[in-house]
Structures are given as C-alpha cells and as structure tokens.
Amino acid sequence: MARHIVKGDMVKVLAGVDRGKTGEVMAVYPSKDKVMVQGVNRVYRHLRPSRKHPQGGRIQKEMPIHISNVLPVDPKTGDATRVGVRINADGSKERIARKSGESLGILRKAK
C-alpha cells in the first residue's frame, strides 16, 4: 500500500493529545503503520543510575503515532491537505496537495 507520508514531510496532527501541532517526520514504520514526528507524542523514560546516566532521572523522547492521525501540510496555505498523485509527461510520479495542487515531492523517478 502506498504511503501518503514520507520522511522529511511537514505534517499536522489530526487526533490525540497533540491535536493541531505540526512537526517534521523523522521516521516512517510501514509495517506498523506508524510515523515518528518531531516534538509530538513525547513521553518520559525513567532511568536508573548507570555509567551512561550517573544521576538517573527522566528523559523525554518521542514515540510513534498512527499514520492515519497525521496529514501533510500544504506548502501554499500551511493547512493540512490530502495527497494525490500526478503522473508527469516523462512518466515520473509526484505527490500533490489536493487543496492547492502544489507539489509535495517526487514519488518515483521515470524509468
């Protein structure tokens, strides 16, 4: 199944505690249908004292969220938009924003 989100996209969170936040996609996990977004779904990891962390303590980190809870941000309007695919004259595929028709990046180069 084709993914509408790729690494490096700016996305807006549609559901959950962080609804309305935007961030850059750091990683995509297609087998789990999840994405890791910078600054979204932050949790605390409690650590015992160790050589690496002599004080121990709480470390904040991002956790993945479901891919259905995010949409790419339209480069023209700055709002969340659905994604379409346009086939160019040379046979390459590119993702486009449905609201404005702006390009979101080349999906696949022509053979």
Side-chain angles (χ1 to χ4, degrees), residues 10-81:
M10 285 299 292
V11 295
K12 186 170 187 174
V13 180
L14 303 176
V17 175
D18 294 318
R19 180 186 308 130
K21 287 187 181 178
T22 58
E24 185 177 343
V25 174
M26 300 188 310
V28 179
Y29 305 109
S31 61
K32 298 178 185 175
D33 289 334
K34 294 192 179 245
V35 292
M36 184 96 71
V37 181
Q38 187 173 16
V40 173
N41 198 21
R42 294 184 64 87
V43 296
Y44 284 103
R45 172 85 170 104
H46 294 79
L47 295 176
R48 280 194 177 147
S50 64
R51 287 186 185 210
K52 188 174 179 184
H53 302 284
Q55 288 292 316
R58 299 182 337 162
I59 299 204
Q60 254 192 339
K61 64 178 190 172
E62 288 97 0
M63 294 296 286
I65 61 174
H66 201 270
I67 199 165
S68 67
N69 292 333
V70 296
L71 276 180
V73 173
D74 190 340
K76 196 174 206 178
T77 63
D79 200 18
T81 182

